[in-house]
Amino acid sequence: MAYFEGTKEEFYKFLGPRTSDIVTEISRPKRKHQKSCKDEDIDDNGKKKVCGKWKSLDAAHLKDRTRKILITEILEDFAEKNIKQSTYKITLDKFEEEFRNKHKDFFNVIQFRCRKHHRAYDNKYKVEDLQDEIVIPTVETYTPDFEIDSNTKSEFIKKFIVPKISYLKNDNCRIARVSKDNWNFNPTVKELKKDFYLLCYNQVDFSVAILKIEKNTLQIKAKTTDKKKISLNIPYSESDFFEKKTDKNLEFLESFELKS
């Protein structure tokens, strides 16, 4: 049975990379329970607002649950100690088992944060931990059964997405790609009388954010000649999703990436 023997610093150095792999593995399925960064910013009017960034968040250990602290606890509780040489000896299987156990109460150990807020948190609390960043990308990925590139028509993307998401139907959503830093939608007045979904497609990185408009909550006069369609403009963002004319925030439901 393989074991490792060394000082705490040697455990940090040589087993640290393995703890990164374990945290990544544990964290991936948890992203669906925290879809975006929940830390707060101050806007131009001095008001607090939730960050909301959702792409590639860091799995950030809390200040009193850093990987260094967890490793130290494992060594003190489960390893053989050589006091004279200040070394510890433990089997690799036992070390990994206990490191996983330390993360069972996941959200009391880790919070998902964007890189900016992760660093701000660590600086605020003077957190000292292993230096490698653990990045957890957008949770879901789907692989279309056709070749996808920046020129793929949006309707092909929609046709592929709708059957994958339980609440989507062909007649309760529309898709738009980024155009001049906006997603532009033209739903009908009738469509917005029921819950409606906007598929915000980024043709550069093939990511999709789904926004929800609750029925009868968006009051915009129809601008088209037949007075049946409404023009919606959503500025491109990885955090704040709002309709430009009404300044109404839209509910972010989930995101995923398409892999060619």
Side-chain angles (χ1 to χ4, degrees), residues 35 54 140 142 165 167 208-211 252-256:
K35 297 174 182 176
W54 52 273
E140 297 288 353
Y142 296 110
I165 310 296
Y167 52 83
V208 180
I210 301 182
L211 312 181
F252 168 67
L253 295 182
E254 61 180 293
S255 62
F256 50 87

Side-chain angles (χ1 to χ4, degrees), residues 35-87:
K35 297 174 182 176
S36 59
C37 178
K38 301 299 184 185
D39 286 33
E40 292 182 333
D41 287 313
I42 304 297
D43 65 17
D44 295 338
N45 297 316
K47 294 182 178 180
K48 291 182 178 180
K49 66 173 185 177
V50 174
C51 169
K53 287 188 177 179
W54 52 273
K55 288 186 181 180
S56 298
L57 301 182
D58 289 354
H61 282 77
L62 301 183
K63 62 182 186 298
D64 55 353
R65 296 280 80 195
T66 67
R67 281 184 288 159
K68 278 190 173 182
I69 290 174
L70 299 182
I71 290 172
T72 297
E73 290 178 353
I74 292 169
L75 297 181
E76 294 296 336
D77 292 342
F78 300 101
E80 296 178 21
K81 305 178 187 67
N82 185 321
I83 297 175
K84 288 185 178 180
Q85 297 183 12
S86 298
T87 59

